[in-house]
């Protein structure tokens, strides 16, 4: 009789253990197959969007934790950047972003698209300065940037100049680069300028204003051709 009781007890323990094991196995399978989670609300300072292999593709962040940018999979020097979104391509380079902010001095918002291996070539932007000297501008802006002077070379060039500790030499060097077109030049703006003019403003490959088609703040229409020296040739 005692033997029978022991066997029954062992059978109960076995059955209970088996049941628990099955429940744990079921929960484990359910968890592994249900990777999608839903949140009604979440507070976070930064989110990194990555591929399965860990490649960084996008950062959504507040100002304090904003990413400094990447070049050849290496972080750029630490710098202050506004809150927003920063995009990264599969080469390990920053390739654009969206930043914004507003304070007692003014407001701004910029969506940028970067040329491969260099800086922005297109921006949709808004800026406003408050106070007595209130100004507001917004629109689409385009740049030309060279293919033979990528950001990597630009950074090395700037680092070597800063070591000279000679502001005059730095200014001369950058002036020469700009004349050679290596820093990139603004070519096009469509929108509202800070002086109130609304229209198209087109520059040549040296960044010089050459054509304006706009309506001024007094609702007067203008079509202006400008020569290389900034002189109006036809209106």
């Amino acid at each position: 009789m005692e033997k029978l009781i022991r066997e029954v007890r062992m059978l109960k323990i076995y059955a209970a253990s088996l049941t628990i094991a099955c429940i744990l196995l079921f929960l484990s399978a359910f968890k592994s197959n249900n990777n999608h989670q839903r949140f009604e609300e979440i507070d976070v300072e930064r989110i990194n969007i990555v591929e399965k292999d860990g490649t960084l593709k996008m950062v959504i962040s507040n100002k304090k934790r904003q990413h400094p940018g990447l070049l050849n999979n290496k972080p750029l020097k630490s710098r202050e950047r506004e809150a927003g979104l920063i995009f990264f391509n599969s080469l390990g380079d920053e390739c654009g972003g969206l930043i914004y902010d507003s304070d007692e001095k003014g407001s701004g918002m910029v969506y940028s698209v970067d040329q491969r291996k260099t800086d922005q070539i297109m921006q949709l932007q808004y800026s406003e300065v408050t106070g007595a000297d209130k100004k507001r501008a917004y629109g689409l802006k385009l740049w030309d940037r060279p293919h033979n002077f990528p950001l990597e070379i630009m950074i090395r060039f700037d680092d070597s100049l800063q070591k000279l500790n000679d502001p005059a030499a730095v200014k001369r060097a950058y002036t020469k680069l700009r004349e050679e077109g290596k820093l990139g030049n603004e070519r096009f703006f469509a929108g509202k300028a800070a002086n109130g003019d609304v229209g198209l403003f087109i520059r040549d490959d040296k960044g010089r204003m050459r054509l304006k088609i706009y309506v001024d703040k007094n609702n007067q229409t203008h079509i202006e051709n400008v020569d290389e020296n900034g002189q109006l040739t036809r209106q």
Side-chain angles (χ1 to χ4, degrees):
M1 185 69 176
E2 240 178 30
K3 183 178 178 182
L4 180 60
I5 293 174
R6 282 199 306 270
E7 289 178 349
V8 170
R9 185 182 299 124
M10 291 296 295
L11 185 61
K12 288 181 178 179
I13 293 173
Y14 175 78
S17 300
L18 184 61
T19 301
I20 293 172
C22 290
I23 292 174
L24 291 175
L25 183 62
F26 173 79
L27 292 176
S28 176
F30 178 80
K31 183 178 180 181
S32 64
N33 292 327
N34 185 23
N35 293 324
H36 179 75
Q37 298 185 38
R38 178 174 177 174
F39 302 91
E40 290 188 2
E41 183 173 342
I42 182 172
D43 293 332
V44 63
E45 294 189 17
R46 173 166 157 169
I47 297 175
N48 298 325
I49 307 298
V50 299
E51 298 289 0
K52 278 192 173 183
D53 62 0
T55 301
L56 185 64
K57 299 307 292 280
M58 183 171 70
V59 170
I60 308 171
S61 174
N62 63 13
K63 181 176 181 178
K64 183 178 181 180
R65 299 182 61 86
Q66 188 57 272
H67 199 286
L70 282 178
L71 179 63
N72 296 326
N73 276 316
K74 297 179 181 179
L76 298 176
K77 290 182 180 179
S78 179
R79 52 178 168 158
E80 184 177 284
R81 309 184 81 176
E82 300 299 337
L85 288 79
I86 307 296
F87 305 112
F88 303 91
N89 59 30
S90 297
L91 297 173
D93 300 329
E94 179 181 337
C95 58
L98 171 67
I99 59 173
Y100 59 92
D101 205 1
S102 182
D103 57 25
E104 67 279 357
K105 296 180 181 179
S107 301
M109 189 169 193
V110 176
Y111 169 62
S112 297
V113 177
D114 294 350
Q115 180 175 307
R116 179 188 174 98
K117 293 295 183 181
T118 184
D119 216 338
Q120 76 272 355
I121 56 170
M122 181 171 67
Q123 280 188 349
L124 190 62
Q125 55 182 233
Y126 153 70
S127 64
E128 181 171 340
V129 177
T130 58
D133 190 26
K134 185 173 183 177
K135 293 182 180 180
R136 183 186 299 118
Y138 43 88
L140 174 67
K141 188 174 287 189
L142 308 179
W143 288 263
D144 269 349
R145 297 195 182 277
H147 296 284
N148 59 351
F149 201 71
L151 186 59
E152 183 177 15
I153 295 178
M154 180 69 218
I155 291 174
R156 289 205 302 264
F157 180 83
D158 183 70
D159 287 342
S160 62
L161 284 178
Q162 299 307 322
K163 292 176 182 177
L164 297 176
N165 197 25
D166 185 347
V170 172
K171 184 176 181 180
R172 288 194 300 270
Y174 273 101
T175 298
K176 185 174 185 297
L177 284 181
R178 188 168 297 281
E179 290 173 351
E180 295 173 350
K182 291 183 177 180
L183 297 183
N185 288 303
E186 181 184 336
R187 297 298 306 275
F188 175 92
F189 175 71
K192 184 173 184 178
N195 64 359
D197 296 341
V198 177
L200 300 175
F201 306 88
I202 303 175
R203 300 172 181 266
D204 63 19
D205 60 5
K206 303 296 183 183
R208 298 171 297 203
M209 184 64 68
R210 300 302 299 273
L211 177 64
K212 303 179 183 180
I213 305 172
Y214 66 95
V215 177
D216 65 25
K217 60 183 178 181
N218 298 314
N219 288 325
Q220 300 301 305
T221 58
H222 302 262
I223 300 178
E224 300 175 358
N225 287 281
V226 183
D227 66 17
E228 295 179 353
N229 299 313
Q231 301 298 313
L232 186 66
T233 61
R234 187 176 58 171
Q235 183 170 4

